[in-house]
Amino acid sequence: MGMHWKDKVVCLLFSLLLAGGFLLCVFLPEKKYSDSERRFLATMPSFTADAVWSGRFMSDFESYAVDAFPARDAFRRGKALTAAHVFARQDNNGIYTADGFLCAVEYPLDEDSFMRAIERLRYVCDKYLTEENRIFMSLIPDKNCFLAKESGHLSLDYDEVEEQVAKMADFAEYIPISDLLGKEDYYKTDTHWRQENITDVADRLAQAMGTELLAEYEFSVAKEDFYGVYYGQAALPHEPDRLCYLTGDAIDQAIVYDWQNGRKIPVYDMEKADGRDPYEMFLSGSLSLITMENPHATGDKKLVLFRDSFGSSIAPLLISGYSQITLVDIRYIHPDSLGQFIDFTGCDVLFLYSTLVWNHSETLK
């Protein structure tokens, strides 16, 4: 039985759509970065005989076509809405919604990754630290640890994770902070904690490390709406967060130096608050090596803070208790290079990382 003319029309229209999309992918200006997904897009592969013969060209072009397809964000949103409201999917692209929060499923526990993280931190201790250094460690729970119980999604057993980390890190004094945190202490559309909600966390860390903070803050709100990383990944409509930050004498007077780029930077970079990732307003984002000087410190206590991006927002809250805080991100600088920049003599050292880094420790150099 021959194909009905209506079927032929549908096939023709679909073929024209694919052909038009292909031509637009080839001839439209190439978009290099997706603001909504916070990632670089695949680029047009080189058309060479070797690439075509090996099949690599078509494989790479498929990735490029998916990333470069016209109106891609609109199609992503349509897919996400269909999955959520038609097929009742609980998550989209690994992102789910629970009680007004967007969150990623962080599961299962990668034991090898946790062991690697411990060994990388132990390597730093063995290479640079002595008995004169007081060494501390704390683990920041992922937002999924609080939301999964309510939503029925899978999550790490955080109590067990924390217990195991405290045992494995026998070179450091463990400071628990999870009892001070809950879902409301995190942004609804982002991975990170809210600075205005973690002053109690900063106080506990400071007390455990033997210093006292001058906790007199003024509350400010950035003008721009904050759409966090989960917002773009979920491709679903969601109310934005407000980006709040705390000021005070010690924070306002702190002198911050970015060693990666050889420049002074502000504690809060308000230009970045209107950029691709507004959370980067805190100490200018993911920089490998930063020092914060407190010119009016009453003592000479110094802290070296090994951290991920969560550390950018808590470090300003700790500066009133120290004459200097050095922030190190060994995702971007190899530990072997630290001796060129840091004198660890007499410094306290705090390893402060989120479970997201521990469970993906391949990011640590």
Side-chain angles (χ1 to χ4, degrees), residues 33 91 95 179 211 291 306:
Y33 189 84
D91 63 84
I95 309 297
D179 59 304
T211 192
T291 53
F306 287 84

Side-chain angles (χ1 to χ4, degrees), residues 17 69-81 235:
L17 176 63
F69 199 84
R72 181 172 178 275
D73 283 342
F75 279 104
R76 289 181 65 247
R77 175 156 293 190
K79 171 184 174 291
L81 290 170

Side-chain angles (χ1 to χ4, degrees), residues 13-28:
L13 290 175
F14 183 69
S15 298
L16 289 173
L17 176 63
L18 291 178
F22 175 83
L23 293 173
L24 287 171
C25 287
V26 173
F27 294 109
L28 281 178

Side-chain angles (χ1 to χ4, degrees), residues 265-291:
I265 59 173
V267 174
Y268 303 123
D269 187 336
M270 303 314 297
E271 289 187 7
K272 289 186 179 292
D274 193 27
R276 289 176 174 175
D277 182 358
Y279 183 79
E280 289 188 343
M281 68 164 283
F282 295 103
L283 293 178
S284 297
S286 298
L287 297 173
S288 58
L289 188 62
I290 300 172
T291 53

Side-chain angles (χ1 to χ4, degrees), residues 53-248:
W53 182 256
S54 67
R56 191 173 64 252
F57 175 81
M58 288 309 299
S59 176
D60 292 345
F61 183 82
E62 182 179 353
S63 299
Y64 168 72
V66 170
D67 279 1
F69 199 84
R72 181 172 178 275
D73 283 342
F75 279 104
R76 289 181 65 247
R77 175 156 293 190
K79 171 184 174 291
L81 290 170
T82 301
H85 300 297
V86 177
F87 297 107
R89 283 277 303 272
Q90 290 192 328
D91 63 84
N92 183 55
N93 299 326
I95 309 297
Y96 66 89
T97 303
D99 197 22
F101 288 79
L102 293 173
C103 191
V105 177
E106 184 62 30
Y107 186 87
L109 172 71
D110 188 334
E111 294 183 2
D112 290 339
S113 179
F114 270 66
M115 288 300 299
R116 183 182 185 279
I118 283 289
E119 291 310 311
R120 295 315 297 155
L121 304 186
R122 189 187 302 275
Y123 177 78
V124 170
C125 293
D126 292 344
K127 187 173 182 65
Y128 295 110
L129 307 183
T130 69
E131 294 180 355
E132 295 181 356
N133 298 107
R134 298 196 309 151
I135 308 170
F136 304 90
M137 179 176 291
S138 193
L139 189 64
I140 304 171
D142 174 45
K143 184 168 59 172
N144 185 51
C145 295
F146 302 107
L147 288 167
K149 294 178 181 179
E150 301 178 8
S151 63
H153 286 81
L154 295 172
S155 170
L156 305 181
D157 184 340
Y158 186 76
D159 291 338
E160 181 179 349
V161 167
E162 193 170 36
E163 181 179 347
Q164 291 302 315
V165 168
K167 288 181 179 178
M168 290 189 295
D170 54 2
F171 52 85
E173 177 184 336
Y174 189 79
I175 308 173
I177 59 173
S178 59
D179 59 304
L180 301 176
L181 295 166
K183 63 184 180 183
E184 66 281 352
D185 298 313
Y186 297 76
Y187 295 108
K188 291 188 174 183
T189 65
D190 198 63
T191 59
H192 296 101
W193 54 15
R194 307 178 66 98
Q195 188 195 47
E196 70 275 18
N197 287 3
I198 58 170
T199 56
D200 54 347
V201 175
D203 285 337
R204 177 173 291 180
L205 292 173
Q207 290 173 12
M209 293 187 293
T211 192
E212 185 176 351
L213 305 182
L214 304 176
E216 296 180 0
Y217 304 112
E218 293 184 10
F219 182 90
S220 299
V221 182
K223 296 179 181 179
E224 299 79 8
D225 289 335
F226 177 31
Y227 292 94
V229 65
Y230 289 150
Y231 177 85
Q233 293 175 358
L236 288 169
H238 200 283
E239 289 296 315
D241 284 295
R242 300 301 298 173
L243 198 59
C244 305
Y245 57 100
L246 301 178
T247 59

